[in-house]
Amino acid sequence: MRVKKLSSLWLSVLASMTLLSACEKTEPQTVNIGMPQEGQELSGNLIFWHSFTQGPRLEIIQQAANEFQQKHPKVSIKIETFSWNDFYTKWTTGLSSGNVPDMSTALPNQVIEMINFGALQPINDLIDSIGRDKFSATAINEGSLNQHNYSLPLYSHAQVMWVRKDLLAKHNLPVPQTWQQLYDTAKILTQDNVYGLSVPMGSNDFMATRLLNLYVRSGGGSLLTEDLKVDLTSPLVQEGIKYWVKMYQNTSPRDSVNYNVLQQATLFYQGKTAFDFNSGFQIGGVKANSPQLLSEIDAYPLPKRHINDPDYAAETSNIPLVVWKQSKHPDIAKAFLKTLYEKDRYIQFLTAVPVGMLPAIKGISQQEEYQQNPVIQQFNQAEKVIAAAAERGSAIGFERGASVQAGMITNQHIIEKMFQDIVINGTDSMVAAEKAEKELNTLFEAIIVN
Protein backbone atom coordinates (compact mmCIF):
# COMPACT_ATOMS: atom_id res chain seq x y z
CA MET A 1 0.00 0.00 0.00
CA ARG A 2 2.82 2.39 0.83
CA VAL A 3 4.45 1.92 -2.55
CA LYS A 4 1.16 2.36 -4.37
CA LYS A 5 0.48 5.60 -2.52
CA LEU A 6 3.94 6.96 -3.30
CA SER A 7 3.70 5.85 -6.92
CA SER A 8 0.38 7.66 -7.27
CA LEU A 9 1.97 10.86 -5.97
CA TRP A 10 4.82 10.70 -8.42
CA LEU A 11 2.60 9.66 -11.31
CA SER A 12 0.47 12.77 -10.66
CA VAL A 13 3.66 14.83 -10.70
CA LEU A 14 4.69 13.25 -13.99
CA ALA A 15 1.26 13.91 -15.46
CA SER A 16 1.41 17.54 -14.39
CA MET A 17 4.88 17.98 -15.87
CA THR A 18 3.69 16.48 -19.16
CA LEU A 19 0.75 18.89 -19.18
CA LEU A 20 3.00 21.85 -18.40
CA SER A 21 5.38 20.83 -21.20
CA ALA A 22 2.46 20.60 -23.61
CA CYS A 23 1.28 24.07 -22.59
CA GLU A 24 4.75 25.46 -23.14
CA LYS A 25 4.79 24.06 -26.67
CA THR A 26 1.38 25.47 -27.63
CA GLU A 27 1.52 28.70 -25.65
CA PRO A 28 5.10 29.99 -25.76
CA GLN A 29 5.96 32.70 -23.27
CA THR A 30 8.54 35.45 -23.58
CA VAL A 31 10.91 34.70 -20.74
CA ASN A 32 14.37 36.16 -20.32
CA ILE A 33 16.42 33.15 -19.26
CA GLY A 34 19.93 34.58 -19.55
CA MET A 35 21.93 36.65 -17.08
CA PRO A 36 20.88 40.34 -17.14
CA GLN A 37 23.30 42.89 -18.53
CA GLU A 38 25.02 45.26 -16.10
CA GLY A 39 22.79 48.29 -15.57
CA GLN A 40 19.75 46.62 -17.16
CA GLU A 41 16.43 47.63 -15.62
CA LEU A 42 14.81 44.65 -13.90
CA SER A 43 11.14 44.28 -13.12
CA GLY A 44 9.15 41.41 -11.65
CA ASN A 45 7.83 39.63 -8.58
CA LEU A 46 9.80 36.59 -7.37
CA ILE A 47 9.42 34.00 -4.65
CA PHE A 48 12.44 32.49 -2.89
CA TRP A 49 12.02 29.34 -0.80
CA HIS A 50 14.80 28.48 1.60
CA SER A 51 15.29 26.36 4.70
CA PHE A 52 17.22 28.82 6.86
CA THR A 53 14.26 29.12 9.18
CA GLN A 54 15.81 31.16 11.98
CA GLY A 55 18.78 33.11 13.25
CA PRO A 56 21.49 35.06 11.43
CA ARG A 57 21.27 33.02 8.21
CA LEU A 58 17.66 34.01 7.69
CA GLU A 59 18.47 37.62 8.50
CA ILE A 60 21.39 37.75 6.07
CA ILE A 61 19.31 36.33 3.22
CA GLN A 62 16.52 38.82 3.97
CA GLN A 63 19.02 41.68 4.02
CA ALA A 64 20.36 40.55 0.66
CA ALA A 65 16.83 40.63 -0.75
CA ASN A 66 16.21 44.08 0.74
CA GLU A 67 19.38 45.49 -0.81
CA PHE A 68 18.60 43.92 -4.19
CA GLN A 69 15.13 45.47 -4.14
CA GLN A 70 16.59 48.87 -3.23
CA LYS A 71 18.92 48.64 -6.22
CA HIS A 72 16.08 47.41 -8.45
CA PRO A 73 12.90 49.19 -7.24
CA LYS A 74 10.66 47.34 -9.70
CA VAL A 75 11.67 43.95 -8.28
CA SER A 76 9.88 42.31 -5.36
CA ILE A 77 11.35 39.22 -3.68
CA LYS A 78 9.06 37.34 -1.31
CA ILE A 79 10.90 34.94 0.97
CA GLU A 80 9.19 31.84 2.37
CA THR A 81 10.94 29.42 4.72
CA PHE A 82 10.36 25.71 5.26
CA SER A 83 12.21 23.09 7.26
CA TRP A 84 14.26 20.72 5.12
CA ASN A 85 11.72 17.92 5.61
CA ASP A 86 8.72 20.16 4.90
CA PHE A 87 10.44 21.51 1.79
CA TYR A 88 10.48 18.07 0.16
CA THR A 89 6.71 17.72 0.60
CA LYS A 90 6.19 21.31 -0.52
CA TRP A 91 7.96 21.02 -3.85
CA THR A 92 6.79 17.52 -4.78
CA THR A 93 3.15 18.43 -4.20
CA GLY A 94 3.72 21.89 -5.67
CA LEU A 95 4.81 20.48 -9.01
CA SER A 96 1.36 19.06 -9.66
CA SER A 97 -0.31 22.43 -9.03
CA GLY A 98 2.37 24.72 -10.40
CA ASN A 99 2.97 26.13 -6.93
CA VAL A 100 6.75 26.27 -6.97
CA PRO A 101 9.05 29.27 -6.45
CA ASP A 102 11.34 31.14 -8.79
CA MET A 103 14.41 30.02 -6.85
CA SER A 104 15.18 27.94 -3.78
CA THR A 105 17.65 26.03 -1.72
CA ALA A 106 17.48 22.23 -1.88
CA LEU A 107 19.26 19.11 -0.72
CA PRO A 108 21.67 17.37 -3.13
CA ASN A 109 19.59 14.19 -3.30
CA GLN A 110 16.52 16.22 -4.22
CA VAL A 111 18.10 18.12 -7.11
CA ILE A 112 18.48 15.02 -9.25
CA GLU A 113 14.77 14.28 -8.74
CA MET A 114 13.94 17.84 -9.78
CA ILE A 115 16.07 17.42 -12.89
CA ASN A 116 14.41 14.09 -13.65
CA PHE A 117 11.01 15.76 -13.72
CA GLY A 118 12.17 18.71 -15.83
CA ALA A 119 11.47 21.14 -13.00
CA LEU A 120 14.66 23.24 -13.11
CA GLN A 121 16.19 25.91 -15.30
CA PRO A 122 19.82 25.40 -16.42
CA ILE A 123 22.15 27.89 -14.73
CA ASN A 124 25.42 27.37 -16.60
CA ASP A 125 25.58 31.11 -17.26
CA LEU A 126 25.19 31.95 -13.56
CA ILE A 127 28.02 29.61 -12.62
CA ASP A 128 30.23 31.04 -15.37
CA SER A 129 29.38 34.59 -14.26
CA ILE A 130 30.56 33.86 -10.71
CA GLY A 131 33.54 31.85 -11.95
CA ARG A 132 33.24 28.15 -12.71
CA ASP A 133 36.79 27.44 -11.59
CA LYS A 134 35.94 28.74 -8.12
CA PHE A 135 33.64 25.77 -7.44
CA SER A 136 34.37 22.11 -6.90
CA ALA A 137 33.71 20.19 -10.11
CA THR A 138 32.26 17.37 -8.01
CA ALA A 139 29.73 19.69 -6.39
CA ILE A 140 28.70 21.16 -9.76
CA ASN A 141 28.38 17.70 -11.33
CA GLU A 142 25.98 16.54 -8.61
CA GLY A 143 23.38 18.79 -10.21
CA SER A 144 24.28 18.34 -13.87
CA LEU A 145 22.87 16.36 -16.79
CA ASN A 146 23.91 16.34 -20.44
CA GLN A 147 26.30 19.28 -19.94
CA HIS A 148 23.56 21.38 -18.37
CA ASN A 149 24.14 22.59 -14.81
CA TYR A 150 20.99 22.89 -12.72
CA SER A 151 22.40 23.78 -9.30
CA LEU A 152 25.33 25.52 -7.69
CA PRO A 153 26.61 24.90 -4.16
CA LEU A 154 26.08 27.58 -1.53
CA TYR A 155 28.07 25.82 1.19
CA SER A 156 29.37 22.38 2.11
CA HIS A 157 29.59 20.16 5.15
CA ALA A 158 30.33 16.53 5.92
CA GLN A 159 29.53 13.90 8.51
CA VAL A 160 32.28 13.31 11.04
CA MET A 161 32.44 11.84 14.55
CA TRP A 162 31.84 14.28 17.42
CA VAL A 163 33.34 13.39 20.78
CA ARG A 164 33.04 14.51 24.39
CA LYS A 165 36.72 14.71 25.28
CA ASP A 166 36.05 15.21 28.99
CA LEU A 167 34.14 11.93 29.27
CA LEU A 168 36.95 10.05 27.54
CA ALA A 169 39.51 11.65 29.85
CA LYS A 170 37.43 10.85 32.93
CA HIS A 171 37.54 7.15 32.06
CA ASN A 172 41.07 7.26 30.60
CA LEU A 173 39.79 6.15 27.17
CA PRO A 174 41.24 7.02 23.73
CA VAL A 175 39.22 8.38 20.82
CA PRO A 176 37.75 5.32 19.04
CA GLN A 177 39.21 4.53 15.64
CA THR A 178 37.11 1.49 14.71
CA TRP A 179 33.43 0.68 14.93
CA GLN A 180 34.13 -2.00 17.52
CA GLN A 181 36.09 0.48 19.62
CA LEU A 182 33.24 2.95 19.30
CA TYR A 183 30.73 0.37 20.50
CA ASP A 184 32.89 -0.69 23.44
CA THR A 185 33.59 2.91 24.47
CA ALA A 186 29.99 4.05 24.03
CA LYS A 187 28.81 1.15 26.18
CA ILE A 188 31.22 2.12 28.98
CA LEU A 189 30.11 5.75 28.84
CA THR A 190 26.42 4.89 29.01
CA GLN A 191 26.01 5.85 32.68
CA ASP A 192 25.29 8.81 34.97
CA ASN A 193 22.40 10.07 32.81
CA VAL A 194 24.58 10.08 29.69
CA TYR A 195 24.14 7.76 26.72
CA GLY A 196 27.14 6.59 24.73
CA LEU A 197 25.50 7.18 21.37
CA SER A 198 21.90 7.73 20.34
CA VAL A 199 20.72 5.74 17.30
CA PRO A 200 17.84 7.66 15.61
CA MET A 201 15.28 5.77 13.52
CA GLY A 202 12.43 8.26 13.09
CA SER A 203 10.44 7.63 9.91
CA ASN A 204 10.12 11.35 9.13
CA ASP A 205 13.86 11.72 8.54
CA PHE A 206 16.78 9.78 7.05
CA MET A 207 19.01 9.48 10.12
CA ALA A 208 19.07 5.66 10.21
CA THR A 209 19.90 5.66 6.50
CA ARG A 210 22.75 8.05 7.26
CA LEU A 211 24.23 5.83 9.97
CA LEU A 212 23.90 2.69 7.87
CA ASN A 213 25.58 4.47 4.95
CA LEU A 214 28.52 5.48 7.17
CA TYR A 215 29.15 1.87 8.15
CA VAL A 216 28.74 0.54 4.61
CA ARG A 217 31.05 3.20 3.16
CA SER A 218 33.72 2.24 5.71
CA GLY A 219 33.75 -1.19 4.08
CA GLY A 220 34.02 0.24 0.58
CA GLY A 221 30.38 -0.57 -0.18
CA SER A 222 27.28 1.34 -1.19
CA LEU A 223 23.57 1.19 -0.51
CA LEU A 224 23.14 1.01 -4.30
CA THR A 225 24.45 -1.66 -6.63
CA GLU A 226 26.21 -0.74 -9.88
CA ASP A 227 22.90 -1.09 -11.74
CA LEU A 228 21.26 1.25 -9.19
CA LYS A 229 19.25 -1.27 -7.23
CA VAL A 230 18.99 -1.06 -3.45
CA ASP A 231 21.33 -3.36 -1.54
CA LEU A 232 20.21 -4.14 1.99
CA THR A 233 20.90 -7.88 2.01
CA SER A 234 24.60 -8.21 1.17
CA PRO A 235 26.93 -9.39 3.97
CA LEU A 236 28.43 -5.91 4.48
CA VAL A 237 25.07 -4.13 4.71
CA GLN A 238 23.67 -6.82 6.99
CA GLU A 239 26.73 -6.38 9.20
CA GLY A 240 25.98 -2.66 9.36
CA ILE A 241 22.29 -3.20 10.17
CA LYS A 242 23.15 -5.57 13.01
CA TYR A 243 25.78 -3.17 14.32
CA TRP A 244 23.35 -0.28 14.65
CA VAL A 245 20.67 -2.49 16.18
CA LYS A 246 23.20 -3.63 18.79
CA MET A 247 24.26 -0.05 19.41
CA TYR A 248 20.62 1.01 19.86
CA GLN A 249 19.99 -1.81 22.32
CA ASN A 250 23.02 -1.06 24.51
CA THR A 251 23.97 2.62 24.28
CA SER A 252 20.92 4.56 23.10
CA PRO A 253 17.73 5.97 24.65
CA ARG A 254 14.71 3.89 23.67
CA ASP A 255 12.90 6.99 22.43
CA SER A 256 15.48 7.42 19.69
CA VAL A 257 13.50 4.87 17.67
CA ASN A 258 11.40 7.92 16.68
CA TYR A 259 14.08 10.65 16.65
CA ASN A 260 14.66 13.00 13.74
CA VAL A 261 17.87 14.96 13.16
CA LEU A 262 17.02 17.80 15.56
CA GLN A 263 16.01 15.49 18.40
CA GLN A 264 19.18 13.49 17.83
CA ALA A 265 21.46 16.52 17.76
CA THR A 266 19.78 18.10 20.78
CA LEU A 267 20.94 15.24 23.00
CA PHE A 268 24.54 16.07 22.12
CA TYR A 269 23.88 19.80 22.47
CA GLN A 270 22.65 19.19 26.01
CA GLY A 271 25.54 16.94 26.99
CA LYS A 272 23.41 13.80 27.14
CA THR A 273 25.41 11.76 24.62
CA ALA A 274 29.13 11.08 24.46
CA PHE A 275 29.33 10.61 20.68
CA ASP A 276 27.39 11.77 17.67
CA PHE A 277 27.76 11.88 13.90
CA ASN A 278 27.09 15.25 12.39
CA SER A 279 28.67 18.28 10.75
CA GLY A 280 30.11 21.44 12.27
CA PHE A 281 26.57 22.55 13.11
CA GLN A 282 27.17 20.71 16.40
CA ILE A 283 29.31 23.62 17.62
CA GLY A 284 26.54 26.19 17.48
CA GLY A 285 24.11 23.79 19.10
CA VAL A 286 26.38 23.08 22.04
CA LYS A 287 27.22 26.78 22.40
CA ALA A 288 23.52 27.66 22.63
CA ASN A 289 22.50 24.81 24.94
CA SER A 290 25.55 23.91 27.04
CA PRO A 291 28.21 26.62 26.64
CA GLN A 292 30.22 25.12 29.52
CA LEU A 293 30.85 22.06 27.32
CA LEU A 294 32.10 23.96 24.26
CA SER A 295 35.75 23.37 25.12
CA GLU A 296 35.04 19.66 25.70
CA ILE A 297 33.88 18.71 22.20
CA ASP A 298 35.82 18.10 19.02
CA ALA A 299 35.51 16.34 15.66
CA TYR A 300 37.44 13.28 14.50
CA PRO A 301 37.49 11.07 11.39
CA LEU A 302 34.82 8.42 10.95
CA PRO A 303 35.53 4.99 12.48
CA LYS A 304 36.90 2.17 10.34
CA ARG A 305 35.92 -1.48 10.28
CA HIS A 306 39.53 -2.50 10.91
CA ILE A 307 42.32 -0.40 12.35
CA ASN A 308 44.54 -0.78 9.26
CA ASP A 309 41.81 0.03 6.74
CA PRO A 310 42.50 3.07 4.56
CA ASP A 311 41.05 6.47 5.43
CA TYR A 312 37.70 7.16 3.82
CA ALA A 313 34.94 9.73 3.69
CA ALA A 314 31.26 8.99 3.50
CA GLU A 315 28.58 11.66 3.37
CA THR A 316 29.26 15.11 2.01
CA SER A 317 26.47 17.63 1.51
CA ASN A 318 27.03 20.43 -1.00
CA ILE A 319 23.89 22.44 -0.24
CA PRO A 320 22.73 23.92 -3.56
CA LEU A 321 20.68 26.75 -4.98
CA VAL A 322 18.36 26.19 -7.95
CA VAL A 323 16.22 28.22 -10.34
CA TRP A 324 12.84 26.71 -11.20
CA LYS A 325 11.78 26.20 -14.79
CA GLN A 326 8.31 27.65 -14.17
CA SER A 327 9.80 30.99 -13.10
CA LYS A 328 8.71 33.94 -15.23
CA HIS A 329 11.88 35.78 -14.25
CA PRO A 330 14.81 33.32 -14.22
CA ASP A 331 17.14 36.12 -15.28
CA ILE A 332 16.31 38.14 -12.15
CA ALA A 333 16.54 35.03 -9.99
CA LYS A 334 20.05 34.39 -11.28
CA ALA A 335 21.05 38.02 -10.76
CA PHE A 336 19.87 37.88 -7.14
CA LEU A 337 21.51 34.54 -6.37
CA LYS A 338 24.80 35.90 -7.71
CA THR A 339 24.75 38.61 -5.03
CA LEU A 340 24.83 35.94 -2.31
CA TYR A 341 28.41 35.13 -3.38
CA GLU A 342 29.75 38.67 -3.05
CA LYS A 343 32.75 38.27 -0.76
CA ASP A 344 31.71 40.30 2.28
CA ARG A 345 28.14 38.99 2.31
CA TYR A 346 29.28 35.43 1.62
CA ILE A 347 31.73 35.43 4.51
CA GLN A 348 29.11 36.99 6.75
CA PHE A 349 26.70 34.20 5.75
CA LEU A 350 29.23 31.39 6.33
CA THR A 351 30.30 32.73 9.70
CA ALA A 352 26.68 32.85 10.83
CA VAL A 353 27.29 29.14 11.50
CA PRO A 354 31.09 28.97 11.72
CA VAL A 355 32.57 25.56 10.84
CA GLY A 356 29.00 24.38 10.20
CA MET A 357 28.98 25.89 6.72
CA LEU A 358 32.24 25.51 4.85
CA PRO A 359 32.90 27.66 1.77
CA ALA A 360 31.80 26.30 -1.59
CA ILE A 361 34.11 28.83 -3.28
CA LYS A 362 37.85 28.25 -3.33
CA GLY A 363 40.01 30.72 -1.45
CA ILE A 364 37.38 32.01 0.97
CA SER A 365 38.73 30.03 3.91
CA GLN A 366 42.07 31.82 3.47
CA GLN A 367 40.50 35.26 3.73
CA GLU A 368 41.48 37.16 6.89
CA GLU A 369 37.86 38.08 7.63
CA TYR A 370 36.96 34.39 7.62
CA GLN A 371 39.93 33.21 9.67
CA GLN A 372 39.44 35.88 12.32
CA ASN A 373 36.17 34.34 13.47
CA PRO A 374 36.79 33.16 17.07
CA VAL A 375 34.85 29.91 16.65
CA ILE A 376 36.80 29.02 13.51
CA GLN A 377 40.00 29.70 15.42
CA GLN A 378 38.90 27.60 18.41
CA PHE A 379 37.78 24.67 16.25
CA ASN A 380 40.57 24.78 13.71
CA GLN A 381 41.20 21.03 14.07
CA ALA A 382 37.53 20.20 13.60
CA GLU A 383 37.32 22.39 10.50
CA LYS A 384 40.29 20.56 8.96
CA VAL A 385 38.71 17.17 9.67
CA ILE A 386 35.39 18.24 8.16
CA ALA A 387 37.00 19.91 5.15
CA ALA A 388 39.03 16.78 4.38
CA ALA A 389 35.90 14.63 4.64
CA ALA A 390 33.89 17.05 2.49
CA GLU A 391 36.51 16.96 -0.25
CA ARG A 392 36.45 13.16 -0.53
CA GLY A 393 32.83 12.26 0.21
CA SER A 394 29.55 12.41 -1.70
CA ALA A 395 25.84 12.59 -1.05
CA ILE A 396 24.35 9.27 0.07
CA GLY A 397 24.25 6.94 -2.94
CA PHE A 398 26.12 9.36 -5.20
CA GLU A 399 29.30 7.28 -5.13
CA ARG A 400 27.62 5.58 -8.12
CA GLY A 401 27.00 8.99 -9.64
CA ALA A 402 24.04 11.32 -9.17
CA SER A 403 20.76 9.42 -9.53
CA VAL A 404 17.09 9.62 -8.69
CA GLN A 405 17.47 6.30 -6.89
CA ALA A 406 19.91 7.85 -4.43
CA GLY A 407 17.37 10.54 -3.66
CA MET A 408 14.66 7.97 -3.06
CA ILE A 409 16.80 6.17 -0.50
CA THR A 410 16.91 9.24 1.72
CA ASN A 411 13.54 10.79 0.94
CA GLN A 412 11.15 7.86 1.42
CA HIS A 413 12.36 6.72 4.90
CA ILE A 414 11.83 3.05 4.12
CA ILE A 415 15.16 2.10 5.70
CA GLU A 416 14.06 3.84 8.89
CA LYS A 417 10.89 1.73 8.94
CA MET A 418 13.03 -1.36 8.41
CA PHE A 419 15.05 -0.55 11.53
CA GLN A 420 11.88 0.13 13.50
CA ASP A 421 10.49 -3.23 12.41
CA ILE A 422 13.62 -4.95 13.68
CA VAL A 423 13.88 -3.26 17.07
CA ILE A 424 10.16 -2.92 17.86
CA ASN A 425 8.74 -6.12 16.38
CA GLY A 426 11.81 -8.32 16.69
CA THR A 427 11.77 -9.06 12.96
CA ASP A 428 14.86 -10.85 11.68
CA SER A 429 17.26 -8.37 10.07
CA MET A 430 17.40 -10.27 6.77
CA VAL A 431 13.63 -10.62 6.58
CA ALA A 432 13.13 -6.91 7.28
CA ALA A 433 15.88 -5.99 4.80
CA GLU A 434 14.42 -8.12 2.03
CA LYS A 435 11.05 -6.41 2.51
CA ALA A 436 12.54 -2.91 2.48
CA GLU A 437 14.80 -3.71 -0.47
CA LYS A 438 11.84 -4.96 -2.51
CA GLU A 439 9.74 -1.93 -1.58
CA LEU A 440 12.42 0.54 -2.63
CA ASN A 441 13.27 -1.26 -5.88
CA THR A 442 9.56 -1.45 -6.77
CA LEU A 443 9.29 2.26 -6.09
CA PHE A 444 12.28 2.94 -8.35
CA GLU A 445 10.61 1.10 -11.21
CA ALA A 446 7.41 3.07 -10.70
CA ILE A 447 8.87 6.56 -10.77
CA ILE A 448 12.01 6.56 -12.89
CA VAL A 449 11.47 8.59 -16.06
CA ASN A 450 13.11 6.89 -19.01
Side-chain angles (χ1 to χ4, degrees):
M1 293 300 294
R2 177 64 174 164
V3 173
K4 182 177 289 187
K5 181 178 180 182
L6 288 168
S7 298
S8 297
L9 167 64
W10 281 110
L11 286 172
S12 69
V13 171
L14 282 171
S16 70
M17 292 307 298
T18 301
L19 179 61
L20 287 169
S21 297
C23 291
E24 288 173 0
K25 292 177 182 178
T26 57
E27 301 177 15
Q29 299 178 359
T30 301
V31 176
N32 296 319
I33 62 173
M35 291 288 296
Q37 298 295 317
E38 185 66 30
Q40 177 181 339
E41 183 179 31
L42 304 179
S43 177
N45 300 324
L46 291 87
I47 296 176
F48 182 25
W49 288 357
H50 69 69
S51 294
F52 311 130
T53 56
Q54 59 186 355
R57 295 194 297 175
L58 183 150
E59 296 165 4
I60 292 166
I61 296 295
Q62 184 62 63
Q63 181 61 32
N66 294 343
E67 292 179 8
F68 190 86
Q69 291 171 130
Q70 290 172 4
K71 184 176 180 180
H72 305 282
K74 294 183 179 181
V75 172
S76 172
I77 300 176
K78 180 182 179 181
I79 294 178
E80 300 178 7
T81 60
F82 306 93
S83 70
W84 293 110
N85 280 335
D86 289 343
F87 172 71
Y88 183 75
T89 302
K90 185 72 175 177
W91 78 259
T92 51
T93 56
L95 276 181
S96 60
S97 63
N99 182 26
V100 292
D102 296 271
M103 50 191 166
S104 75
T105 56
L107 291 177
N109 298 74
Q110 296 173 5
V111 171
I112 198 68
E113 293 183 54
M114 296 170 179
I115 296 171
N116 189 58
F117 291 113
L120 299 181
Q121 171 79 32
I123 54 174
N124 299 54
D125 50 355
L126 171 57
I127 296 171
D128 290 334
S129 177
I130 297 171
R132 181 173 296 270
D133 60 346
K134 295 180 180 179
F135 296 96
S136 159
T138 299
I140 294 295
N141 290 338
E142 286 182 350
S144 300
L145 180 68
N146 297 330
Q147 299 184 347
H148 293 297
N149 309 131
Y150 294 93
S151 69
L152 75 164
L154 182 59
Y155 66 89
S156 301
H157 59 74
Q159 297 296 303
V160 294
M161 183 173 67
W162 285 89
V163 172
R164 279 280 301 279
K165 298 181 295 182
D166 57 323
L167 294 179
L168 291 179
K170 178 180 178 181
H171 295 270
N172 196 29
L173 294 168
V175 174
Q177 298 183 57
T178 68
W179 293 112
Q180 184 61 50
Q181 290 175 1
L182 175 62
Y183 172 77
D184 293 339
T185 305
K187 191 173 181 181
I188 292 171
L189 297 182
T190 303
Q191 57 177 290
D192 300 329
N193 298 316
V194 174
Y195 293 96
L197 174 65
S198 173
V199 182
M201 302 176 181
S203 59
N204 66 339
D205 215 327
F206 63 93
M207 295 299 291
T209 301
R210 167 173 288 164
L211 293 185
L212 181 59
N213 180 67
L214 296 182
Y215 192 98
V216 172
R217 293 299 297 138
S218 73
S222 171
L223 296 177
L224 288 175
T225 61
E226 291 187 3
D227 59 350
L228 299 182
K229 302 294 185 182
V230 176
D231 174 17
L232 298 176
T233 54
S234 67
L236 175 61
V237 181
Q238 279 291 300
E239 182 182 308
I241 293 171
K242 292 174 181 177
Y243 176 86
W244 289 116
V245 169
K246 181 175 70 170
M247 187 73 85
Y248 168 79
Q249 293 170 338
N250 293 289
T251 76
S252 178
R254 290 294 173 265
D255 288 349
S256 70
V257 71
N258 291 311
Y259 281 179
N260 60 26
V261 63
L262 181 58
Q263 292 167 309
Q264 168 75 3
T266 298
L267 284 182
F268 192 79
Y269 298 164
Q270 296 176 343
K272 296 179 180 179
T273 48
F275 297 98
D276 197 14
F277 292 96
N278 211 316
S279 67
F281 279 80
Q282 295 292 72
I283 297 169
V286 171
K287 183 179 181 180
N289 287 266
S290 307
Q292 75 279 6
L293 295 177
L294 198 60
S295 62
E296 304 297 346
I297 66 168
D298 211 342
Y300 293 85
L302 298 169
K304 304 176 182 180
R305 289 175 72 228
H306 308 105
I307 194 67
N308 292 322
D309 287 348
D311 294 337
Y312 73 101
E315 183 187 348
T316 294
S317 294
N318 299 299
I319 304 301
L321 296 165
V322 298
V323 175
W324 289 78
K325 188 175 183 179
Q326 292 185 48
S327 172
K328 296 180 181 179
H329 305 286
D331 57 334
I332 303 177
K334 294 176 188 178
F336 170 68
L337 294 180
K338 182 178 179 179
T339 69
L340 300 181
Y341 294 88
E342 293 172 357
K343 190 182 78 168
D344 290 345
R345 175 176 291 129
Y346 189 53
I347 292 176
Q348 183 185 20
F349 176 75
L350 295 174
T351 54
V353 188
V355 185
M357 299 191 297
L358 300 184
I361 293 180
K362 299 172 184 176
I364 292 294
S365 60
Q366 283 75 52
Q367 296 293 320
E368 184 177 358
E369 305 97 304
Y370 181 86
Q371 293 181 343
Q372 284 180 340
N373 182 275
V375 175
I376 290 174
Q377 292 178 347
Q378 180 180 356
F379 286 92
N380 179 260
Q381 193 266 158
E383 186 190 31
K384 290 179 179 178
V385 170
I386 298 168
E391 186 175 347
R392 299 195 304 267
S394 69
I396 295 174
F398 276 36
E399 56 276 351
R400 303 291 193 199
S403 67
V404 177
Q405 291 90 334
M408 290 291 97
I409 288 178
T410 58
N411 294 327
Q412 298 306 326
H413 315 310
I414 292 172
I415 291 176
E416 282 66 34
K417 293 178 182 178
M418 174 195 73
F419 272 103
Q420 290 179 337
D421 189 24
I422 295 170
V423 302
I424 295 174
N425 302 323
T427 303
D428 178 78
S429 65
M430 181 61 79
V431 172
E434 288 174 343
K435 178 182 176 182
E437 187 175 276
K438 180 179 179 180
E439 187 173 0
L440 276 164
N441 285 328
T442 300
L443 178 59
F444 290 174
E445 294 173 2
I447 67 169
I448 300 303
V449 180
N450 294 320

